[in-house]
Amino acid sequence: MKRRLAAAVAATVALAVLSGCSFRGAESLPLPGGPDLGDNPYEVEIDFANVLDLVPQSVVKVNDVSVGKITDIRLDGWHARVNCKIRKDVNLPDNAIASVGQTSLLGEKYVQLSAPSGEAAQGRLGTGDVIPLARTSRSTEIEEVLSALSLLLNGGGLEQISTITNELNAAMEGRTDTIRDVLQRINTFVGTLDRNRGAITQALDSLDRLSGKLAAQRKTIADTIDRTGPAIKVLDQNRADLTKMLVSLDKLSKVTTRVVNQSKADLLANLRALQPILQNLNKAGTDLPNSLEMMLTFPFPPSVANALRGDYANIHITLDLDLKSLTQNLLGGTALEGLVKQGDQMRSLIKPPSLTLPQTPPGVLDPTPGAPGTPGAPGTPDPGRSTPPGVVPRPSSTPDPGLYDLIMGGLS
C-alpha cells in the first residue's frame, strides 16, 4: 500500500513538473485522439458574442476537417475571445469567417473556419491575426428550438393561426372570384412597379436632390412666402374685378371661337388667294428690296447723285420703249403674264411715226455738202483755229443763239 501511494505521488509530481506552474486541472491535459498540430502551428484570436458551452481543447475545423484546437477562452469586455492554434499548412485568407458549430444534436461544440462567401479573399491568416465580431456567428441551440416550439404549442401561435384561418375562411366565403380578381390586379400592379423600378428609383433620387435644394434655399423660400402676403392681399381686394375679367374672357373666347368657325372658309380662301402673291414675292428674292431703293430717287437710279458735279451732270440715259420689254417688266409674274406673248402681235400692228427734223440739232453736222456747219461752208470756223476738245463750234446759221448758248453751257 505504501508503494502504491508513493507511485501515485511520484506521478503527480512528474505531471506537475512537466506542465509547469500553469496546471489548472483536467482541462489542462491534452485529450487523446485530438488533431495533430505538427511543428510551429500559428495562433489566431477570434471574438464571439456568445460561445455557448465551448470549452478549451475543443477542435477547430475547416471543411469539417480538424486542423487545430482551442487553447484558451477569456472574457474581453462584453464578448468572449478564443485563442486557437492551427496547423501551419492550413491556408486561410486574412478576412476568414468563424462560427461555433455542433457535431450532432447533443454533440460537442467546435469552431468552424472558412473563406468569406460574399467578398474576395484577401491576404493570408497568420500568427497574431484577430477575426472580429463582424465575421463571427454561432449556430442555433437545441434548447432554443425546443423553447420556441414549446411556446408555439402551449397556447401560442397555433391557436392564433387557427383563429386567423377560420376568420379568413369566413371572410372569403362567396367572394373567391372577387378576391382572385383583386389578387390578379395586385400582381399586375406589382409587376408594373418591378418593370419600372429603374424609373421609380431615378424619380426618388431626383426628388431627393430637389428636397436637398429646397432645404438649402429654405430661408429664401420663407422670405418669398412672407413677402407674398401683400400681393395676396391685393388679389383678395380685387377678387371681384378678377372674377369679372375671367367671366368676360370666357365670353370673349366663346365669341372668338364662333367667329373663327364661321369665317374659316373665307379665311382659307384668302390664304389660298394670297399664296400666288407670296410665291411671286419669294421668286423676286433680293430684287424687290433693291428696287425699293429707287423710291427715294424715282425716276432716276440711286447712283444719280454720282452724276451731279457742281453745275453740270454726267448722265448717260438708255430709254427702252420696246413694247415687249415694257409688258415683260410690268406684267411678268402676274395673272396678266399671258399678254406678254401677245406683245409681239401688237408690236407688228403698231408702226413708229415718221419724224422729220426741220433743222439740224445743235452739235450735229449736216451731212449735205455745202450745208452750214460743214467744212468749207459759209460760217464754218477756220480749221486752223484752236477749238477746245469736245466742244462743237456754233454754226453761223443757228436761228436762236440764246438757246444754243443755254444748251451748250455758254461755250463757243
Side-chain angles (χ1 to χ4, degrees), residues 28-318:
S28 299
L29 300 177
L31 297 177
D36 183 14
L37 300 181
D39 298 332
N40 299 322
Y42 62 89
E43 298 185 11
V44 297
E45 295 181 347
I46 307 173
D47 292 336
F48 288 100
N50 188 353
V51 292
L52 303 176
D53 55 352
L54 187 71
V55 295
Q57 303 301 327
S58 297
V59 297
V60 178
K61 294 185 178 183
V62 175
N63 295 330
D64 293 331
V65 177
S66 299
V67 296
K69 68 178 181 178
I70 297 173
T71 59
D72 184 33
I73 299 176
R74 67 181 184 276
L75 184 64
D76 186 5
W78 293 97
H79 61 272
R81 173 158 290 189
V82 178
N83 287 15
C84 301
K85 285 186 177 181
I86 305 172
R87 291 204 315 258
K88 65 178 182 181
D89 59 343
V90 177
N91 187 6
L92 289 172
D94 194 41
N95 57 343
I97 59 176
S99 62
V100 178
Q102 193 169 3
T103 56
S104 61
L105 187 61
L106 298 175
E108 63 176 350
K109 301 294 189 300
Y110 66 92
V111 174
Q112 177 74 27
L113 298 179
S114 60
S117 58
E119 57 181 322
Q122 299 176 1
R124 179 175 180 177
L125 193 66
T127 300
D129 290 338
V130 177
I131 300 177
L133 287 173
R135 298 204 298 269
T136 61
S137 61
R138 68 178 182 88
S139 60
T140 304
E141 286 285 283
I142 185 62
E143 291 85 354
E144 296 175 349
V145 176
L146 294 177
S147 176
L149 182 60
S150 175
L151 180 63
L152 180 64
L153 296 176
N154 297 328
L158 289 180
E159 184 178 357
Q160 296 176 2
I161 291 174
S162 176
T163 304
I164 293 173
T165 303
N166 294 331
E167 293 296 333
L168 285 176
N169 290 332
M172 292 188 297
E173 185 177 1
R175 303 182 180 90
T176 54
D177 295 337
T178 304
I179 295 174
R180 186 182 296 108
D181 182 63
V182 171
L183 292 177
Q184 290 178 354
R185 294 185 180 182
I186 293 176
N187 186 28
T188 304
F189 175 71
V190 173
T192 304
L193 290 179
D194 183 68
R195 287 192 299 271
N196 295 275
R197 181 172 50 188
I200 294 173
T201 304
Q202 185 178 3
L204 292 176
D205 293 339
S206 301
L207 184 61
D208 180 68
R209 291 193 297 270
L210 176 62
S211 301
K213 291 183 179 180
L214 291 177
Q217 301 293 330
R218 184 181 305 170
K219 186 177 182 303
T220 304
I221 296 173
D223 294 340
T224 303
I225 294 175
D226 294 338
R227 294 181 182 181
T228 52
I232 295 175
K233 184 177 179 180
V234 172
L235 291 176
D236 181 67
Q237 293 174 354
N238 296 274
R239 181 173 55 183
D241 296 335
L242 291 174
T243 304
K244 292 180 181 179
M245 182 189 68
L246 293 176
V247 173
S248 301
L249 185 61
D250 180 65
K251 295 180 180 178
L252 177 61
S253 62
K254 292 180 180 178
V255 173
T256 303
T257 303
R258 185 172 63 254
V259 171
V260 170
N261 291 333
Q262 292 178 357
S263 61
K264 179 172 64 177
D266 297 336
L267 180 61
L268 294 176
N270 293 334
L271 292 176
R272 293 190 187 96
L274 187 63
Q275 182 179 2
I277 299 176
L278 297 177
Q279 290 177 350
N280 291 322
L281 288 176
N282 186 32
K283 291 179 181 179
T286 58
D287 295 336
L288 182 60
N290 294 334
S291 62
L292 293 177
E293 296 178 359
M294 294 186 60
M295 293 181 63
L296 301 177
T297 59
F298 185 81
F300 303 102
S303 59
V304 68
N306 299 329
L308 300 177
R309 294 291 183 269
D311 57 350
Y312 65 93
N314 297 325
I315 301 176
H316 176 73
I317 299 176
T318 300

